[in-house]
Amino acid sequence: MLQHLTEAQRSAVEHIEGPLLILAGAGTGKTRTLTHRIAHLVENNIVEPKQIMAVTFARKASLEMAVRLETILTNPASVREINIGTFHALSGSLLRESLDPAEGPELLPEAGQIDLIRKIIKELSLAGPDWQPSEVLRKISLAKGRLLSPEDLSPDGESQLAAVYRLYQRSLQEKHLVDFDDLIGALVLRWEEAAEVLSRHQRFFKFVLVDEFQDINEAQYRWLQLLTGAHRNLCVVGDTDQSIYGFRGSNVSIFQRFQVDFPEARVIKLEQNFRSSQNILEAAGGLIAHNENPLTCKLWSENGPGPLLRVGRLADEEREAQFVVGEIERLLGGSSHYQIYRGCDTDTPDDTPYGFGDFAVLYRTHAQSRPLADRLSRAGIPFQVVGEKPPFDSRAADALLSYLHYAMDTSSIEDLRVILNLPPRGLGEKAQKWLDEEIDKGKFPWEILRLASKNLELPVRQQAAMDHLRRTIVSLQKLLATLPLSDALEKAWEETGLRQYYQEGGKSAAESFKWLRLLAGLHGNKPATETIFSFLDDLSQWRAGDFFDSRADAVALMTLHAAKGLEFPVIFICGLEQDLLPLSHKNQGEDALQEERRLFYVGMTRARHLLVLSTVNRRLLYGELHTRQPSPFIKEIPNQYLEEVSKPASKKKRPSKEKQLTLF
């Protein structure tokens, strides 16, 4: 099992007792090392599979880890016993297990969180761009990620954000609800207050492993410290040069604090890169050296030098898109047809011909995809755009989930408000107002719905509509109690009338539902009542980049963030301009600049064979044409690894009037 590992990988796999810090540079086989370490613990009977916990930051990473383990372990079925999951999913499971079912809080989906924040903002008469519900929720999430209470934000109670946070949290507690961040925070609080619960979990989980440790926040780190406090068998794997989620609350300094908090930790560096050519690694290394980082990795490769990085300096974004298409056609042999795949270029090894799926075009913002997609389309080159949101994230999906969540918890006022008139059933603003008045009287939502058909205050038509909704919920409750979640979703999509209502909107709703049902299928064949809450936990852990179709014979267009974890033979990084990459931020400091540099580094190290960069003189931004300056990051790449291949067209001087006359 260990024969194909490098010496450094083997050392990490065979380390048993005590903390372990694995610094794994880009493309150095960190997932391979992590899965082999788990397999080593199981195959050598060092610990039972169920006593291992492997923590990830994305649901897709959890699934990939499980699939890899199935190919390594002698008994693939034992993978199901290993606790593999995201921080949020594992926290939700442990929290529900440690509480009485009657007192266990329910998870409020993101749509419900935003609705609640919107109502509080309106109640406090707050307005302006800083008070968009999604932005306020993000700031509250950041506070929770640092384990900060409203009082911590503003001890004197003067802060408006603290006021919103306070009302938001009070509303959640009154309704026995938690949001995604509370899953971690509530478990930390539970462990700190109930020593016997913490001790039980510490004794049970004897080995804890964490992937992508550079993405950790304060709450998650406290979670790990508590869980491993008794045995300190904590293995963390990551790369400080790839910490790119500061806007979500990740704190790269925690990586550096690990050695202070775990002074006995063994440190192992994985520096042999199996992905990229040496020229790409040297160029990326020259760039990232401008960051202050004592825990960086010096990457090297046996893949050979490879071609130089190609740099295009273009006039505008249209020329940039034309440049990208021209480079793709050059590498394919000058045509966009499938037959040219067998063609080769001087930069292309004869045994590795390119196909459309070998190219990825990366950029800092989604807005940059428009001219690129337009030019690829005109050239007849197939492409796929990885969107800003996961494909299941839509109003149709939110509505369906609200139906299911209400069927599971008929005390949920937020869900009832969502589904009351969706699809439209004649229960408009007056019915909503009546519902709110009944709730203000202290009545429970289900009781209101149950008695609505007999309420003479309502028109007969609305009585019938309320009764139809009640019967739909009863039907859904039966479905959830008897069918697997994916089948229950299928039936609910039809019975609620949402499929028929949303089918008029085109393919997007059907596509959204397809993905929702597919993800539900990952939760097995148990009745939906046993799996729906873990399913809701999981939905928050899927990222847009997780839905990239690697099997598609098409050029990939995506942001640099979405490209994390992927790799391609040829990478284009467009928009290398000041205030775009690095992106300008309000009150931007050195930390923000360093994170932008790490983001560019991540993009560079996605390339296996060829890396092409582009910058323009003018770009259309917010409806206006702006003059651009090249990104300072270009100058930070050692010049000997760059090849200038295109420059902006120079303006032709207009001939004098006298010379024009001689033309006639």
Side-chain angles (χ1 to χ4, degrees):
M1 184 177 70
L2 306 182
Q3 60 183 344
H4 298 298
L5 301 179
T6 66
E7 184 178 344
Q9 289 173 337
R10 183 190 291 262
S11 296
V13 167
E14 293 180 328
H15 174 88
I16 304 300
E17 296 291 334
L20 174 64
L21 174 62
I22 304 175
L23 297 173
T28 58
K30 70 172 180 62
T31 305
R32 179 184 181 88
T33 303
L34 202 59
T35 51
H36 277 73
R37 176 169 165 76
I38 295 171
H40 182 71
L41 293 171
V42 173
E43 295 291 289
N44 290 280
N45 298 312
I46 297 169
V47 67
E48 294 182 53
K50 64 182 180 181
Q51 294 178 309
I52 299 173
M53 177 180 284
V55 190
T56 68
F57 285 84
R59 181 66 169 122
K60 182 184 178 185
S62 301
L63 292 174
E64 289 180 349
M65 189 180 295
V67 169
R68 289 205 193 192
L69 280 167
E70 285 180 344
T71 66
I72 302 173
L73 293 172
T74 304
N75 177 18
S78 63
V79 172
R80 291 193 290 271
E81 299 179 47
I82 302 171
N83 296 274
I84 305 174
T86 63
F87 272 104
H88 292 84
L90 293 169
S91 294
S93 177
L94 291 174
L95 190 61
R96 281 188 282 270
E97 176 264 325
S98 68
L99 293 172
D100 185 279
E103 63 181 8
E106 301 297 345
L107 180 68
L108 180 65
E110 185 176 359
Q113 297 169 35
I114 290 177
D115 284 344
L116 180 54
I117 292 289
R118 183 180 289 110
K119 289 167 188 168
I120 294 171
I121 290 172
K122 184 177 180 181
E123 179 183 332
L124 296 178
S125 301
L126 300 173
D130 291 337
W131 296 104
Q132 296 298 315
S134 57
E135 178 62 15
V136 173
L137 186 61
R138 186 186 73 85
K139 290 176 180 177
I140 292 175
S141 176
L142 291 176
K144 290 186 176 185
R146 296 169 59 197
L147 293 175
L148 298 177
S149 67
E151 290 67 35
D152 293 325
L153 285 186
S154 178
D156 57 8
E158 290 299 316
S159 167
Q160 291 178 316
L161 178 62
V164 175
Y165 183 5
R166 186 178 298 105
L167 290 174
Y168 172 71
Q169 207 60 22
R170 183 184 302 164
S171 182
L172 291 179
Q173 291 166 356
E174 289 173 351
K175 299 166 185 174
H176 301 286
L177 296 170
V178 293
D179 62 18
F180 295 109
D181 298 297
D182 287 331
L183 291 174
I184 295 172
L187 185 59
V188 167
L189 185 62
R190 177 75 172 153
W191 280 341
E192 290 178 334
E193 293 180 343
E196 72 283 359
V197 174
L198 174 60
S199 179
R200 184 172 76 248
H201 288 155
Q202 287 175 335
R203 290 194 304 271
F204 187 83
F205 298 109
K206 294 184 177 179
F207 286 87
V208 179
L209 305 92
V210 185
D211 191 15
E212 304 285 10
F213 187 65
Q214 73 276 356
D215 295 338
I216 198 92
N217 67 26
E218 294 286 349
Q220 293 159 345
Y221 187 49
R222 180 62 179 155
W223 190 97
L224 291 172
Q225 287 178 304
L226 288 169
L227 183 58
T228 62
H231 52 69
R232 297 173 75 81
N233 290 328
L234 174 60
C235 168
V236 300
V237 186
D239 181 10
T240 49
D241 289 332
Q242 296 189 74
S243 178
I244 60 173
Y245 293 110
F247 66 96
R248 291 182 184 167
S250 67
N251 186 350
V252 70
S253 68
I254 295 175
F255 209 126
Q256 297 161 352
R257 275 167 39 201
F258 183 86
Q259 289 177 283
V260 176
D261 297 329
F262 295 87
E264 76 276 29
R266 184 179 179 188
V267 180
I268 296 175
K269 285 190 175 186
L270 305 183
E271 297 183 305
Q272 182 178 356
N273 178 285
F274 301 97
R275 175 189 300 154
S276 305
S277 66
Q278 190 62 34
N279 279 341
I280 291 172
L281 297 181
E282 293 290 349
L287 169 89
I288 205 63
H290 288 77
N291 274 5
E292 297 177 5
N293 181 12
L295 296 177
T296 191
C297 291
K298 174 63 177 175
L299 300 181
W300 60 276
S301 172
E302 294 181 345
N303 295 337
L308 297 175
L309 282 64
R310 296 169 68 82
V311 182
R313 300 179 187 270
L314 297 313
D316 52 39
E317 57 192 348
E318 296 297 331
R319 297 285 180 87
E320 181 181 52
Q322 186 177 349
F323 169 71
V324 169
V325 168
E327 286 289 288
I328 291 173
E329 291 185 332
R330 181 184 69 84
L331 292 166
L332 289 174
S335 170
S336 61
H337 293 93
Y338 184 86
Q339 289 80 0
I340 53 84
Y341 278 17
R342 300 307 303 175
C344 63
D345 183 80
T346 54
D347 286 337
T348 308
D350 290 340
D351 59 344
T352 57
Y354 292 130
F356 294 126
D358 293 328
F359 299 93
V361 186
L362 312 182
Y363 33 78
R364 184 62 179 86
T365 66
H366 285 281
Q368 293 170 252
S369 65
R370 183 196 55 78
L372 293 162
D374 180 62
R375 177 61 66 169
L376 287 166
S377 179
R378 281 191 281 162
I381 296 177
F383 64 92
Q384 59 173 318
V385 180
V386 177
E388 190 172 1
K389 302 186 298 184
F392 61 80
D393 191 348
S394 70
R395 290 188 177 184
D398 288 343
L400 180 59
L401 293 176
S402 287
Y403 266 100
L404 297 183
H405 197 264
Y406 185 72
M408 291 289 295
D409 178 16
T410 54
S411 67
S412 174
I413 300 169
E414 285 75 19
D415 287 314
L416 180 56
R417 286 195 178 106
V418 170
I419 67 176
L420 187 67
N421 199 40
L422 193 63
R425 51 174 62 89
L427 298 173
E429 290 185 10
K430 289 184 178 180
Q432 288 276 6
K433 184 179 179 181
W434 173 83
L435 174 66
D436 291 339
E437 289 172 351
E438 294 296 297
I439 289 171
D440 290 340
K441 294 175 184 177
K443 296 181 181 179
F444 288 102
W446 182 246
E447 188 69 8
I448 297 169
L449 198 60
R450 189 176 69 83
L451 298 176
S453 62
K454 303 174 183 177
N455 195 312
L456 299 180
E457 296 178 22
L458 293 172
V460 174
R461 182 170 56 86
Q462 292 190 355
Q463 291 179 33
M466 289 275 198
D467 190 56
H468 180 266
L469 176 58
R470 180 192 62 79
R471 286 185 279 109
T472 299
I473 297 302
V474 171
S475 177
L476 293 183
Q477 289 171 334
K478 293 177 181 177
L479 293 176
L480 291 169
T482 56
L483 295 177
L485 185 56
S486 59
D487 293 342
L489 279 170
E490 180 77 48
K491 293 280 189 180
W493 183 235
E494 188 69 40
E495 290 195 15
T496 58
L498 291 174
R499 183 194 66 78
Q500 183 176 359
Y501 174 64
Y502 280 108
Q503 71 179 1
E504 298 174 2
K507 293 170 52 180
S508 59
E511 184 74 9
S512 174
F513 171 73
K514 182 193 78 173
W515 278 107
L516 207 60
R517 189 169 186 269
L518 182 65
L519 297 178
L522 299 175
H523 290 260
N525 293 316
K526 294 180 181 179
T529 48
E530 298 180 31
T531 59
I532 187 169
F533 290 115
S534 61
F535 169 65
L536 292 173
D537 292 352
D538 279 351
L539 287 182
S540 69
Q541 301 307 302
W542 288 97
R543 300 169 181 169
D546 296 336
F547 297 91
F548 162 70
D549 186 0
S550 60
R551 298 166 300 177
D553 186 27
V555 176
L557 303 181
M558 66 184 78
T559 65
L560 287 157
H561 280 100
K564 180 75 168 67
L566 302 176
E567 60 180 62
F568 298 86
V570 181
I571 289 283
F572 294 85
I573 302 180
C574 297
L576 270 162
E577 295 130 38
Q578 180 64 51
D579 299 330
L580 187 57
L581 187 60
L583 189 67
S584 60
H585 296 277
K586 186 167 64 173
N587 301 322
Q588 178 172 311
E590 184 59 27
D591 288 346
L593 180 62
Q594 290 197 16
E595 179 157 320
E596 289 290 304
R597 188 178 286 115
R598 291 194 294 267
L599 182 59
F600 182 33
Y601 174 83
V602 165
M604 294 176 74
T605 53
R606 301 308 95 198
R608 293 210 298 262
H609 178 248
L610 179 61
L611 179 58
V612 184
L613 313 176
S614 65
T615 180
V616 304
N617 281 351
R618 298 180 303 279
R619 187 176 295 276
L620 191 66
L621 295 172
Y622 312 111
E624 296 183 5
L625 199 61
H626 292 263
T627 301
R628 314 295 295 164
Q629 294 296 321
S631 170
F633 292 161
I634 297 177
K635 291 184 178 180
E636 293 177 357
I637 300 172
N639 193 57
Q640 64 266 36
Y641 303 110
L642 299 177
E643 176 188 8
E644 297 276 350
V645 293
S646 181
K647 293 183 178 179
S650 58
K651 284 188 176 181
K652 293 183 178 180
K653 291 184 178 180
R654 187 173 182 178
S656 64
K657 186 178 294 185
E658 291 78 5
K659 289 186 177 179
Q660 291 182 47
L661 292 174
T662 62
L663 298 176
F664 296 93

